[in-house]
């Protein structure tokens, strides 16, 4: 048996998410189906993050073990030949049998993209949240910075989650703005942390837009954190604007380096 660690990218628009489910097409299911054909047996694939339906990835990491003797580059070619063009294996490498894609991760970076303008480009509509009307980007930046550090993020998680603790460490939380035309801009929220709760990034993005619209002051974010009440935060932003950018193993990532998708 050889254990491989792969990095993959996917357009999550048409999938039910990473995790195999009883109904619908999942990323995990597609890779496991491809490996069954490749290895002649059922192969379990474990991902670093369970991206939800409609969420995309630029650098998802997954691990599996196969019996067939193959080089890493052959694994990349064989999987891509069996996967739809909206799912691509970018690289593969051998890994220790003990490697766990999820539990061994030291940090993850997510990116949330907002199209701020009256009309959204048809080439961006699958990958952004379209928010028309003026947004105060400086206020959003100030609010985002308040999330850095170790906090209880219960107010930003999906109700009903059964995690052991809702405390998480955010290494960096920042917003960048890029003008696309005289009437539109792309706002990019990037957040790097040692762990995330379900829908946490989308709940934060929805809350930051509330600040940008002037509905709340930046300091409101601190009050939401302290409340531990999901009802106090903003709405959950749409899945289509969210990307899992990268997963880091070993040294904890403290700066953002990925480029625009």
């Amino acid at each position: 048996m050889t254990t491989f660690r792969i990095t993959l990218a996917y357009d999550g628009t048409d999938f039910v998410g990473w995790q195999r489910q009883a109904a619908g097409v999942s990323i995990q299911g597609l890779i496991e189906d491809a490996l069954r054909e490749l290895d002649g047996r059922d192969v379990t694939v474990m991902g670093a993050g369970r991206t939800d339906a409609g969420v995309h990835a630029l650098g998802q990491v997954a691990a599996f073990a196969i019996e067939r003797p193959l080089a890493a580059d052959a694994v990349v070619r064989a999987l891509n030949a069996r996967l739809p063009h909206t799912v691509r294996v970018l690289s593969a490498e051998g890994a220790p049998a003990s490697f766990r894609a999820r539990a061994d991760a030291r940090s993850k970076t997510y990116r949330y993209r907002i199209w701020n303008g009256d009309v959204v480009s048809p080439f961006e509509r699958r990958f952004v949240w379209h928010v028309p009307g003026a947004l105060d980007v400086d206020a959003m930046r100030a609010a985002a910075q308040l999330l850095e550090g170790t906090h209880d993020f219960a107010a930003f998680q999906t109700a009903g989650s059964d995690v052991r603790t809702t405390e998480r460490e955010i290494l960096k939380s920042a917003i960048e703005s890029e003008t696309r035309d005289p009437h539109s801009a792309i706002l990019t929220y990037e957040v790097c942390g040692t762990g995330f709760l379900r829908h946490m990034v989308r709940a934060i993005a929805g809350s930051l837009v509330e600040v940008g619209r002037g509905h709340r002051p930046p300091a409101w974010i601190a009050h939401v954190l302290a409340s531990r009440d999901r009802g106090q935060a903003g709405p959950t932003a749409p899945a289509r604007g969210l990307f899992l950018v990268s997963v880091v193993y070993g040294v904890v990532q403290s700066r953002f380096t990925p480029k625009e998708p």
Side-chain angles (χ1 to χ4, degrees):
M1 299 284 285
T2 302
T3 299
F4 285 97
R5 164 179 156 181
I6 62 172
T7 301
L8 59 153
Y10 48 83
D11 173 354
T13 304
D14 300 322
F15 302 112
V16 295
W18 164 264
Q19 192 168 10
R20 181 187 283 273
Q21 300 181 33
V25 181
S26 68
I27 308 300
Q28 181 186 35
L30 286 171
I31 298 171
E32 289 180 345
D33 291 346
L35 287 170
R36 183 184 302 110
E37 182 180 336
L38 181 65
D39 207 38
R41 65 184 186 89
D42 289 339
V43 177
T44 299
V45 176
M46 302 301 294
R50 297 175 182 175
T51 54
D52 293 322
V55 175
H56 318 289
L58 301 176
Q60 170 73 285
V61 175
F64 55 84
I66 57 175
E67 295 178 348
R68 184 175 175 180
L70 287 174
D73 59 346
V75 169
V76 174
R77 292 194 301 270
L79 287 177
N80 283 335
R82 293 166 171 81
L83 291 169
H85 292 298
T86 49
V87 181
R88 295 287 87 185
V89 177
L90 305 177
S91 65
E93 60 184 288
S98 60
F99 175 71
R100 299 169 297 171
R102 186 179 181 89
D104 291 347
R106 293 294 174 261
S107 72
K108 296 175 186 175
T109 297
Y110 285 91
R111 173 180 298 153
Y112 196 92
R113 302 174 78 236
I114 298 167
W115 184 279
N116 184 214
D118 291 338
V119 180
V120 64
S121 165
F123 304 106
E124 291 278 7
R125 64 180 181 81
R126 289 162 64 100
F127 308 109
V128 295
W129 177 18
H130 180 205
V131 179
L135 291 175
D136 185 338
V137 179
D138 288 338
M140 294 172 71
R141 286 190 178 116
Q145 289 179 352
L146 296 176
L147 297 169
E148 293 182 350
T150 301
H151 306 283
D152 188 330
F153 284 91
F156 294 101
Q157 73 164 343
T158 297
S161 296
D162 58 355
V163 293
R164 182 178 59 84
T165 175
T166 51
E167 187 174 279
R168 296 291 186 271
E169 181 184 8
I170 296 302
L171 303 171
K172 188 171 184 181
S173 172
I175 289 182
E176 297 180 0
S177 178
E178 177 186 348
T179 300
R180 287 301 175 94
D181 60 53
H183 308 289
S184 304
I186 288 281
L187 304 186
T188 302
Y189 173 57
E190 292 199 12
V191 56
C192 176
T194 58
F196 294 87
L197 303 168
R198 189 179 183 194
H199 294 167
M200 176 174 154
V201 178
R202 291 165 60 192
I204 291 172
S207 299
L208 293 176
V209 167
E210 289 294 287
V211 173
R213 285 171 166 161
H215 297 169
R216 303 282 187 172
W220 167 70
I221 291 292
H223 294 295
V224 173
L225 279 172
S227 76
R228 303 187 67 253
D229 179 3
R230 179 66 187 90
Q232 297 297 312
T236 301
R240 62 182 175 272
L242 182 60
F243 292 76
L244 171 56
V245 175
S246 63
V247 185
V248 171
Y249 298 87
V251 178
V252 172
Q253 181 176 332
S254 61
R255 300 294 298 178
F256 293 110
T257 57
K259 304 300 182 182
E260 278 292 328

